[in-house]
Structures are given as structure tokens and as C-alpha cells.
Amino acid sequence: MANKTPEVGDIHFPFPFTPYSIQKDFMAELYQVLEAGKIGIFESPTGTGKSLSLICGALSWLRDFEQKKRQEEARLLETGTLPLKVGKDQPPSLSSSCQETPDVLRPAGEPDWVAQFVQKKEERDLVDRLQEERVRRRKREERLRQIRHNAQLKHAAKRVRQEEEETERLLRLSREMLAGGPGAEQLEQLTGEEELVLAEYESDEEKGTASGVDKDEDDLEEEHVTKIYYCSRTHSQLSQFVHEVQKSPFGKDTRLVSLGSRQNLCVNEDVRHLGSVQLINDRCVEMQRNKHERKSEAEEEKPKKRRQEPRATCPFYNYEQLQLLRDEVLVEVKDIEQLVTLGKEAHACPYYGSRFAIPAAQLVVLPYQMLLHAATRQAAGIRLQGQVVVIDEAHNLIDTITGIHSAEVSGSQLCQAHSQLLQYMERYGRRLKAKNLMYIKQILYLLEKFVTVLGGNIKQNPHSQRLSQTGTELKTINDFLFLSQIDNINLFKVQRYCEKSMVSRKLFGFTEKYGAVLAPSREQPRLAGFQQFLQSLQPEVTKTPAAPVEEGEARALRPSSPLMHIEGFLAALTTANQDGRVILSRQGSLSQSSLKFLLLNPAVPFAQVVKECRAVVIAGGTMQPVSDFREQLLACAGVDAERVVEFSCGHVIPPDNILPLVVCSGPSNQQLEFTYQQRELPQMIFQEPKRANQVEQVLLEYSKCIQCCGQMGSTMTGALLLSVVGGKMSEGINFSDNLGRCVVMVGMPYPNIKSPELQEKMAYLDQTLPRTPGQVPPGKALVENLCMKAVNQSIGRAIRHQKDFASIVLLDQRYARPPILAKLPAWIRDRVEIKTTFGPAIAAMRKFHRERSGPS
């Protein structure tokens, strides 16, 4: 299909086909938000081409921005003088990464010659930076041009890889021969012991902050150009977005980088088999550290008193190959799967190759947690200063941020970690330095106090300990620290020690070697919020499960050291007192009891994003009600109301292709109000499965049943699929055409009002947010908004394209209330019909479907 280039005002928007009018409006508004540096909340219903509108609108702005920047650079290099205005109104080139000169107010009465001298120096410095940036840009463009057009470079690189692989094969054979010789067993035992002992630890106060990056890695780093960071919830959604970019008019010329976790990008089978996200991360970091230590030892050339086995390093982390992979990534748009394939072919690490490509990229595609979690963002080399961020599928953004920064540990994990760490210290205590021993004893003390505050005894088996006091208790962070008697310990230093020393990794190796100290309970291990979020991002299990479901899931969630989970809880306790709570859940036995950190203010981690970025776009198919984003997220993050722009468009379907009904009573005139006490569920035909890897099979059977309805001789008249709101069927699944001709919402999916977490969140909002006269309190509004977000997300599953049609039935008289109706998406709200009795509702539905499907 030929590309179209519609014009909106003076702006050209390349598009793969003639866009809908709402797509033109979307792109024009998006362009203005990015140009003015605003925060945009964009709602475009599913089926309206939101992804293409985001791609073409944002990349059109970036195209024009880069063109203006080059023009301004050329003028500055020619004249060598700064423009008259500096600050917000400065030209684009001066607001980019190459401009670092602050808008400094000159002291009153300063002599003219001083001001002129400072002005000249600023001009010279700026011109020097611009010249350096131009040289780097031209080198990069020439390098990418050669890779794109010169196949000889690829063949030469392939020969180098083959030579390296042959060398590695010979080395492997040599190691196997040595391993089979006399004394091999003792050597292996010594090597295992050496790897388990903690290296000497120095805090950041005792040494300069080391970057941990060698000269080769410095060479791989480039200046960060202005770019767009696009993030979504799952890897499948990101891959779908990348494919849309490939099909767009920008697919050939955009430098796009797809980022993912090590678990998704690692091509080292020895590391991948570890299974756990945390173990893969720690093993990778350890191998990089071994590489740097080996280089340092080689440079020092100090005589060794005794032979030491070389520590394992990753063969896929090679400077030349990473450099080639980085450039290959930038030459052509690739998704995660294509990136992994390329990494295997190049014998280079896709995780680091993609990370090194970030500075020169124009569009970076990444999952939520890599952008929203500060530590992960820093580790990935993401710099947000002056950049654009687009957060798609953002209807659950607040809950996502809260989940990422929450953490929970069970009594069983606390006891396991204490027992393992205590035995580790007893075995290696004489070989550890004083600083290591001090921190290990502090961690042991913390674990003991955490068990005590739950009412248990650290010296007894957690599974057999019955607690005298049960129930749930909420504490502020400070109150919890005092209650636990750990307020005298610097948790920031303990957290930093855990990160730098990798003690949890050493402890895992210790327990792997000598067996579990305490048998793990049968309960599912409780993951820290961030790790739990990582697990939810794994690609869906498709076809051919090789083992029973329970066994397969046990392998996927291979337990790591319990201390790894506890580290997340310790980090959460460093949050400001007013922004979080600690929930003490005492459930009969110590092993079932838990400590949970709950983040109350998601604006705290989000504030840094909106502060650093040039512009932020929060987009989704169903963003209503948007008051949550404005009040809980943006206002609390310090964003002025004038900086926030809202855009919501209608649907592309004709008005007659949708029939939304509110049904207030049933056939017997009984008022329909499905509260928790009154609700009863009918018998099911198909129902949503409990396990995620069974979803595809249920959907397949459901689809086959519907397909049979139109066949000759079939007695089937349809199929009914019953699902839970917020469950596995409520998001990311396409129920287009005959798969979803009618969506029935039974009752209103209010969250559990008795939940301690929800009650604390409501109380927090009532205390912190201003109360508007005539409006419901913020806490109550939160409950209503959570309910309606779930409703809106569920009923949007049926309409997927312009010619689709469906009826939407809201079975509960409470939907007829104006405050509730106001929270529906505009394209549904404007067409709602309220039926106070059952008969007219059935008649309207029969008429609607007969007119579109023919008589049944």
C-alpha cells in the first residue's frame, strides 16, 4: 500500500495509508505536546490505530527537531556567536545534549568587559562541543553506511568469529583433558571454595567511586542524541510495536533499539539455565567483574605465590564483536527475537550490544520496569535528561509503579536466610575480612529482629512455630524500625553492601554446594514486587509444554537465595517515612506470616522521570477516569496543571455499530445490584483457566465452537466465555468480529474494601489530596476509579476495527448513576441506553443483532 503524507497545518505526517481524521488529530496534538515540552494524557480506543499514530506523530516531530538542530548548529559554527535569548526559548540545538551552559544571572554592577569575556568563553566552549558532536555524528553515519552497503565487512567479521570459536573449542578440549587428570577433584573443590568466599569489601566512602567500565567499554559509549523512549507492559506488546515501526514509512531510516532483561536476551546457555531472573543477573555481573579483575591482574603483573584457577568470564562479551553488534542493531529495525538471533550469529551479547546502542538510537523500545525503576534505568545506561518518554498501555500505570516498588518476605524466607548466612559465616569466618564480618552480623541481626516482630523464634523451625497472636497490623516505616529495634542500623549502608559484595549470590552458591539448610515450604515463594513484575513480563507459554504444568512452572520459578528477596525489602525500608507503610501479616504459623512494604505515593519514583524529560506521553485505549493520573501521579510529582494536556478521541466505528445498555432489572423485575452478598454465578460453558499457559487452549476451543456455528448442519448457536475482571482474559487478547459480538458485565468489580492495603491507601489520599466541595472524598473516589478502570478495560475487548460491531450490556442498576456513567469512555458513554426493565433491553439487543447478522 502506497505511503500517504497528510498535512496538518504546516506539518507533514508520513503514513502507510490514508489516516482516519481522529488519527490526524492525534498526531497533531502529540506533535504540539512534544514541541512544547508538555505532559500528555492520550486516549485512543482499541482499533483506532493508536500505535501508528504514536509512531508517525512522534517520529515526525523528531525528524523536524533534528533538522532544526542541524540548521542551528551550522549557523553557530559559521558565526561563532550565541543567540540573544538563552533558556526555554533557546533554539533546539541549545536545548539538546550538546548544550550544558546554564542560564546564569550576572551580578548587578558587573563590568561590561567581564560580561563580554564570559560571553566569548561560552561561545567558544559551545562551538567546540558542536564541532566534536558533528565529528562523532559523521563517523557514526559513515560506519553505519558501510555496514549497510558493504557486505565484505560482515564476511570479515564472520571469519574472525569462526577463528575465535575454533580457538575456544580447542581451549575447551584442553580444559577437559586437564579436568580428567590426577588431582582434578581437589582442584575443582578448591576452585568452588574460592568462588564462594567474599572479596574484600570497601565502602564508597573509603574509595573513589569506580565506574567498573574499562577502556573498551568507554570506546563503545557515544553522546546521547535526542530520542524517544517507548515503553509498554509486556515483551509481546513491545514486539508488536516494533513490527508496526517496521511497516511504517519510518521503518527504513529509524535507528531503533529493543531493550529487554538478561533473561530474554542472554545467549550464554550456561547462564540461561539458572532460570531465576535474579540468579541470571547476578551471574552475568559476576562474570563481567571477573573480566575486569583479570585485566587488572594482567596489567599489574605481580608474581603469584600460588596458582589460582581462572574465574569464568563470558565468551560473548568481546569488544570487537559488541562494536559490530551495536552497529548492526542501529542499521535495521529489529525486535527482541531478531536481536537474539543476530547475537548468536555474531557471537556477541545482545543485552550489552543493545545497551551500547542506546546513545545513538532515535527510538528505544523497553519494558515498563526498565524505565520506571531508577536502579534498573541506571544499570541499563538510560539517560532521560531532555528526552521524550511515551508510556503506552498506561491504564494501570499507578498500580504498576506501586507493584514494582513494593516487596514482601515470608517468615520461612527470613528463617532460611538466617540459617544459611549463619552457617556460611561459621565456615568462612576466618577467611573473611573484618568489614565483611561486620555487615554479615548486621544482616543476621536484622533477620532475627524481623522474625521476632512477627512473633517467632529464629532458632526454631518456621513451619512448626504457631503464633500466639494473629491478624494484620500496619505501621509507618519509622514505627516499624523502632518496633523491630533496628533504628540504630544504617540501612542505606547495608543495602549498598548487599549490592556491591553480591553476598546473596555467594550464599546461593554455598547452599547449592552443600544443600538446603532448611527445606523450603510447599507454598509459592513470595517475590519482591519488582521481581514479581519481571516474572509477569516473560513471553507467554505457547504450544508443546514439555512437562506437567506444575513441574514446568516450578522450573520457571526456580527459587533463588531467600536473601535475594529480603534485599528488596531492605531497600524498600529506605523510602521516606510518609510515602510507605509496612504490613505485618501474622497467619497462624511463622512460615505463612509475612512482612510487606506498601508504597503509598507512586509519584515519588515517577517525579524524577517527569523532572528530567523534555516531554512525557501517557497513552492507552481506556484511560478514563483520568483524575487518578492528574491527582495521584502528576500533581504529587510536582507537575503544574498548565503543563498537563488531555486528548481523547472517539472510535472509528459508525455510531450504529455499538449498542451499550444499562439493564437495571431482570425478567422478574428484580432490581439488579450484584453486591458481594447478593452475587451468584450461573453454570459455565467455557471458563477462564487458573493457569496462564492454559489460556491459549481455552481460546482455541472457544474459537472452534464459534466457527462451527456458521457451518451447514451445525446445531450450535454460539458460545459463552465467562471470565474474571482483571484476569487473564481482560487485557491483550483480541475478541474481534464473531469472537465478541456481546460483552456482558455482571455487577461492578469493586476492589475488596476490607483490604488493609486499600484502606491505608484511601486514608493516605484523604490526608494528602485536597477535598473539592461537592465531590466524594479522594479515598472513595479511588475505589470508584479502580472499579471503572477495570470495567472500561474489559468492555473494550470487543470492538477491534472500523467494521466491527458489538453490544455491551452492563447488568447492574448502579451503572445508571450519573457519576458512574461519567467514568465510561466518551465513545461508549454518549451512546448508552438505560433500560429500567428487562423486556425492552432484550428487544433492543435482538433488533441490533438481526439488522447486522441477518435473522437467526
Side-chain angles (χ1 to χ4, degrees), residues 195-380:
E195 289 180 350
L196 295 177
V197 179
L198 286 162
E200 183 173 0
Y201 176 73
E202 291 180 301
S203 63
D204 290 338
E205 291 87 351
E206 297 170 316
K207 64 176 182 177
T209 304
S211 65
V213 178
D214 60 21
K215 183 177 183 299
D216 288 347
E217 292 178 9
D218 284 336
D219 293 340
L220 285 169
E221 286 286 347
E222 292 189 28
E223 189 74 21
H224 283 244
V225 303
T226 300
K227 60 177 56 61
I228 297 166
Y229 287 99
Y230 171 90
C231 61
S232 193
R233 193 177 67 87
T234 66
H235 285 295
S236 60
Q237 289 170 341
L238 293 173
S239 294
Q240 184 178 352
F241 178 83
V242 172
H243 295 156
E244 292 288 339
V245 174
Q246 291 172 331
K247 294 184 294 184
S248 78
F250 296 90
K252 299 292 184 183
D253 303 318
T254 300
R255 300 191 301 275
L256 180 147
V257 175
S258 296
L259 300 183
S261 64
R262 286 181 173 91
Q263 191 172 39
N264 289 105
L265 289 174
C266 180
V267 291
N268 187 329
E269 293 300 327
D270 292 337
V271 177
R272 285 179 60 86
H273 88 279
L274 293 173
S276 162
V277 175
Q278 190 66 48
L279 291 179
I280 290 175
N281 288 343
D282 286 348
R283 182 58 175 157
C284 177
V285 172
E286 185 179 46
M287 295 175 87
Q288 303 315 312
R289 180 176 295 179
N290 292 345
K291 172 181 178 291
H292 299 310
E293 288 177 356
R294 178 183 292 182
K295 282 195 171 188
S296 300
E297 291 170 0
E299 290 170 1
E300 291 174 5
E301 295 184 348
K302 292 183 179 178
K304 301 290 189 296
K305 291 185 178 180
R306 63 183 177 88
R307 177 186 174 186
Q308 290 186 342
E309 272 293 295
R311 297 179 181 179
T313 60
C314 185
F316 295 92
Y317 193 93
N318 174 275
Y319 167 66
E320 288 80 9
Q321 299 308 128
L322 281 176
Q323 188 180 42
L324 178 64
L325 181 61
R326 174 199 63 185
D327 294 340
E328 286 276 8
V329 167
L330 295 171
V331 163
E332 188 179 84
V333 173
K334 300 175 182 67
D335 62 16
I336 289 290
E337 289 73 22
Q338 293 167 327
L339 182 57
V340 170
T341 301
L342 182 62
K344 291 178 179 178
E345 293 175 355
H347 204 71
C349 175
Y351 175 80
Y352 283 102
S354 59
R355 193 177 80 168
F356 290 135
I358 292 174
Q362 296 168 306
L363 179 58
V364 179
V365 179
L366 68 165
Y368 274 168
Q369 82 282 2
M370 292 190 77
L371 183 97
L372 300 174
H373 193 263
T376 308
R377 190 164 67 236
Q378 182 180 5

Side-chain angles (χ1 to χ4, degrees), residues 694-764:
Q694 296 174 337
V695 170
E696 187 172 343
Q697 183 61 31
V698 172
L699 287 175
L700 182 63
E701 294 174 3
Y702 172 72
S703 302
K704 285 181 178 178
C705 178
I706 292 175
Q707 290 170 2
C708 291
C709 296
Q711 297 177 0
M712 294 291 294
S714 174
T715 58
M716 291 186 180
T717 59
L720 177 66
L721 176 64
L722 292 173
S723 305
V724 179
V725 173
K728 301 172 185 64
M729 300 287 187
S730 66
E731 183 177 350
I733 297 177
N734 188 347
F735 289 104
S736 63
D737 299 322
N738 289 338
L739 293 180
R741 290 303 184 201
C742 180
V743 178
V744 181
M745 178 65 64
V746 181
M748 298 187 70
Y750 280 103
N752 180 11
I753 196 67
K754 295 182 180 180
S755 162
E757 291 94 331
L758 182 58
Q759 290 182 348
E760 192 66 20
K761 181 75 173 180
M762 292 171 64
Y764 174 81

Side-chain angles (χ1 to χ4, degrees), residues 770-784:
R771 183 169 180 177
T772 306
Q775 300 291 328
V776 297
K780 185 177 179 182
L782 168 70
V783 176
E784 288 186 355

Side-chain angles (χ1 to χ4, degrees), residues 782-802:
L782 168 70
V783 176
E784 288 186 355
N785 290 347
L786 288 173
C787 169
M788 292 309 297
K789 281 183 184 295
V791 170
N792 294 340
Q793 187 63 23
S794 298
I795 62 180
R797 296 296 91 201
I799 303 295
R800 310 299 291 188
H801 56 82
Q802 188 178 21

Side-chain angles (χ1 to χ4, degrees), residues 198-207 432-443 493 497 501:
L198 286 162
E200 183 173 0
Y201 176 73
E202 291 180 301
S203 63
D204 290 338
E205 291 87 351
E206 297 170 316
K207 64 176 182 177
L432 298 176
K433 300 293 183 180
K435 208 48 134 356
N436 277 317
L437 280 174
M438 181 192 75
Y439 278 110
I440 287 177
K441 289 180 179 179
Q442 283 190 352
I443 296 172
K493 287 189 174 182
Y497 170 78
S501 69

